[in-house]
Amino acid sequence: MIVERSRTTVAAKTLPAHCYTSPEWFRRELAAIHHRMWLFGGRADELTGPGAYVQRNFGNASVILVRGDDQKVRAFHNVCRHRGTRLVNDESGQCKARFQCKYHAWTYRLDGALDKAFHMEQVDGFNAGDYPLHSVQLEEWGGLLFINFAAEPVPFAQHLAGLDQTFAHWKLGELKCVAKKSYTLQANWKLVISNYHECLHCPTAHPQLNRLSHYLAGDNVPAQPTYLGARMALKPEFQTLSLLDKPPRAPLPGLTDDEQRHVYYYAILPNLLLNAHPDYVVTFRLMPQSETRTDIVVEWLMHPDEVAKPGFDPSDAVDFWHLTNQQDWELSDLAQAGISSLGYQPGPYSNREDLLIAFDRWVLDRLGER
Ligand code: FES
Ligand SMILES: [Fe+2]
């Protein structure tokens, strides 16, 4: 099923090179976007019990997510309150009731309170209660943890903007993570989102995808302040995106017939790509490290009934997306290389790249550049 789009004349062009190559522009994006909006920080079930923690880095912001003795998950800036040393240096770990700074051994409880500050007894006016770890706002939706570095973030419900309803039938909170892969791209984070929201490259780059879902069978939701949404119809003879023609999974219980015939591609700005299939979900966590480097963690979620079946094997879906990811990441790296080259000039968008135009404008709006 090909979805027609109206004709346009050349109006919008791609962004200038500095939006992808300038450290100063990247710093402004962090300040106006990543360090102000709700960021997808990871899965709650990764924090298996009290003291389990993960470290996440978004540009120059480093955050610890940790489960407390009361089972509550909290987020803190990963910065010691003494002389600012990075407190946790592992990507994840299990801490025994206290975080201890490697430098002068100040220790913090799992709720962030400063517990011991050595050699401070004789400092008049020093009060340990004044120096807890700086906390970071945290919310959870369907087992996904979101953090916000802003002092007064927009309410999380406003950020979700009804997407919890859009995806209610997938029951994200019940799904189990069955696979996880990490990637490092030599590409600006915006190129990953732009790549995600058009399929004009699918016939050449992703023959395995185009075989199952025609590249012109996409249907976009008008761009929203906190998300970009699209879905693509599966060809009638296929049930999902898989390397197997007959994937070994039932559709998720509760999906409508219409939902079972589509794959949903949503970017919950600025760093979660949510990819909902009839029988599984894939999340992409984008963590920009610099203007030319983006770390991405991809997780595959499936229904617990499927996971419990003897001989459960998710590799048809994992390998499908791992292959597709490698194809996309190569294109993103090449796009970065070209845009960084002397000969680059902004080029014209197709009428089928409307979400990319909207995304570029959204970035410019956030930075007060339009
Ligand atoms: S910098 Fe952490 S204890 Fe001194
Ligand atoms: Fe792609």
Side-chain angles (χ1 to χ4, degrees):
M1 179 189 54
I2 294 173
V3 179
E4 296 297 342
R5 301 271 168 81
S6 53
R7 289 183 69 80
T8 53
T9 49
V10 174
K13 293 192 171 181
T14 58
L15 293 173
H18 70 263
C19 299
Y20 300 94
T21 60
S22 152
E24 170 60 12
W25 183 273
F26 178 68
R27 191 195 60 70
R28 288 178 58 199
E29 285 180 343
L30 289 179
I33 297 173
H34 298 83
H35 296 168
R36 197 166 286 184
M37 295 183 74
W38 288 96
L39 293 169
F40 175 43
R43 297 185 55 73
D45 61 10
E46 205 177 332
L47 303 170
T48 47
Y53 67 86
V54 294
Q55 179 193 177
R56 303 286 186 240
N57 297 299
F58 301 93
N60 66 333
S62 181
V63 65
I64 307 168
L65 305 177
V66 59
R67 193 176 291 281
D69 296 320
D70 55 0
Q71 293 295 336
K72 192 175 164 192
V73 178
R74 296 178 179 83
F76 303 104
H77 280 280
N78 187 13
V79 178
C80 177
R81 294 298 308 275
H82 179 214
R83 276 162 51 194
T85 301
R86 180 159 289 188
L87 193 58
V88 154
N89 209 22
D90 308 319
E91 203 176 306
S92 63
Q94 175 68 42
C95 126
K96 288 200 199 87
R98 302 282 185 277
F99 289 109
Q100 184 171 58
C101 179
K102 279 197 167 61
Y103 215 157
H104 316 97
W106 283 28
T107 61
Y108 302 87
R109 291 194 206 110
L110 302 181
D111 64 1
L114 177 58
D115 186 46
K116 283 205 171 54
F118 295 96
H119 306 290
M120 296 300 290
E121 317 72 29
Q122 296 188 18
V123 178
D124 287 340
F126 174 78
N127 175 4
D130 294 339
Y131 297 95
L133 293 175
H134 285 302
S135 66
V136 173
Q137 305 259 6
L138 184 133
E139 295 278 356
E140 181 177 341
W141 166 50
L144 312 178
L145 299 172
F146 292 81
I147 56 169
N148 195 309
F149 295 109
E152 293 184 12
V154 301
F156 184 61
Q158 189 178 322
H159 179 78
L160 268 189
L163 289 177
D164 44 347
Q165 291 307 308
T166 305
F167 290 101
H169 294 166
W170 278 263
K171 298 194 178 74
L172 294 177
E174 294 179 10
L175 305 184
K176 299 283 172 231
C177 180
V178 299
K180 175 175 178 171
K181 287 187 187 293
S182 302
Y183 306 90
T184 295
L185 277 64
Q186 305 306 320
N188 184 274
W189 65 279
K190 298 190 294 301
L191 293 173
V192 181
I193 294 180
S194 295
N195 175 268
Y196 184 70
H197 273 305
E198 54 88 1
C199 207
L200 298 181
H201 66 279
C202 294
T204 40
H206 308 306
Q208 78 284 358
L209 170 58
N210 199 48
R211 190 173 83 85
L212 308 176
S213 178
H214 190 282
Y215 76 108
L216 298 180
D219 198 0
N220 294 340
V221 173
Q224 301 295 313
T226 60
Y227 71 87
L228 302 170
R231 66 177 197 170
M232 290 184 65
L234 290 159
K235 291 183 183 172
E237 61 272 38
F238 297 111
Q239 282 78 50
T240 190
L241 299 183
S242 164
L243 290 182
L244 299 175
D245 282 355
K246 291 270 173 268
R249 280 174 304 280
L252 294 169
L255 295 190
T256 64
D257 291 347
D258 189 50
E259 286 165 345
Q260 288 185 30
R261 297 306 316 150
H262 291 87
V263 178
Y264 292 72
Y265 297 82
Y266 275 63
I268 304 178
L269 298 168
N271 87 317
L272 168 59
L273 306 183
L274 183 66
N275 215 184
H277 305 64
D279 57 337
Y280 67 99
V281 170
V282 185
T283 58
F284 296 72
R285 171 159 38 90
L286 276 51
M287 294 169 291
Q289 302 302 313
S290 77
E291 63 281 2
T292 58
R293 183 183 144 194
T294 306
D295 293 345
I296 304 182
V297 173
V298 180
E299 292 170 306
W300 284 256
L301 318 180
M302 293 186 180
H303 195 274
D305 290 352
E306 295 293 338
V307 178
K309 285 182 182 166
F312 167 73
D313 180 2
S315 60
D316 64 294
V318 175
D319 294 348
F320 179 92
W321 273 107
H322 181 53
L323 172 64
T324 308
N325 291 343
Q326 287 172 311
Q327 294 160 340
D328 276 328
W329 306 159
E330 183 193 3
L331 292 173
S332 303
D333 287 359
L334 287 172
Q336 182 71 43
I339 292 167
S340 305
S341 302
L342 182 62
Y344 172 75
Q345 286 183 352
Y349 276 124
S350 154
N351 67 334
R352 289 189 173 273
E353 294 170 309
D354 49 321
L355 284 182
L356 284 61
I357 299 169
F359 177 53
D360 289 354
R361 290 179 178 160
W362 177 86
V363 171
L364 296 177
D365 281 343
R366 298 273 325 182
L367 269 65
E369 286 282 338
R370 224 165 45 105

